[in-house]
Amino acid sequence: MRVIAKKTLIDFWKKYKDAEQPLRAWYHETINAEWNTHHDVKMLYKNASILKNNRVVFNIAGNKYRLIAAIHYKYHIVYIRFIGTHKEYDIIDANKI
């Protein structure tokens, strides 16, 4: 999969140091994945939440942070739409961001 944009992850882990290793792990697992459906995502990330509009919510750092990605399976592209704390996540609409 191709992840757009890694810079979003880097900017986040510069602010939250404890997120760096979990986000690096998520990034490397994702770029090496070959997801064609939501089922493929769930095989690797059993706790991921599948939303409408091809959005997936990933729990990061033991569920301390949330990452929302829009996945375009046909083109093997993962767009990072949001990364934040639970408090930040609670005030957004994950289906629309």
Side-chain angles (χ1 to χ4, degrees), residues 7-19:
K7 183 178 182 322
T8 304
L9 301 177
I10 294 168
D11 291 346
F12 188 81
W13 76 52
K14 284 181 180 178
K15 184 175 179 181
Y16 298 96
K17 301 293 184 193
D18 62 329

Side-chain angles (χ1 to χ4, degrees), residues 26 35 41 45 48 56-60 65-69 71:
W26 177 88
W35 297 330
V41 176
Y45 293 102
V56 179
V57 180
F58 296 92
N59 298 319
I60 304 295
Y65 305 109
R66 294 277 177 97
L67 185 151
I68 301 172
I71 303 176

Side-chain angles (χ1 to χ4, degrees), residues 3-10 27 78-80:
V3 175
I4 300 176
K6 185 179 181 183
K7 183 178 182 322
T8 304
L9 301 177
I10 294 168
Y27 176 79
V78 176
Y79 293 96
I80 298 170

Side-chain angles (χ1 to χ4, degrees), residues 8-54:
T8 304
L9 301 177
I10 294 168
D11 291 346
F12 188 81
W13 76 52
K14 284 181 180 178
K15 184 175 179 181
Y16 298 96
K17 301 293 184 193
D18 62 329
E20 181 174 0
Q21 290 308 317
L23 285 173
R24 283 183 183 274
W26 177 88
Y27 176 79
H28 287 290
E29 289 169 349
T30 301
I31 64 170
N32 289 309
E34 292 187 29
W35 297 330
N36 293 302
T37 68
H38 290 314
H39 181 264
D40 296 335
V41 176
K42 292 290 278 185
M43 293 295 289
L44 184 59
Y45 293 102
K46 296 196 184 327
N47 291 326
S49 298
I50 307 301
L51 307 177
K52 60 184 177 181
N53 297 325
N54 288 326

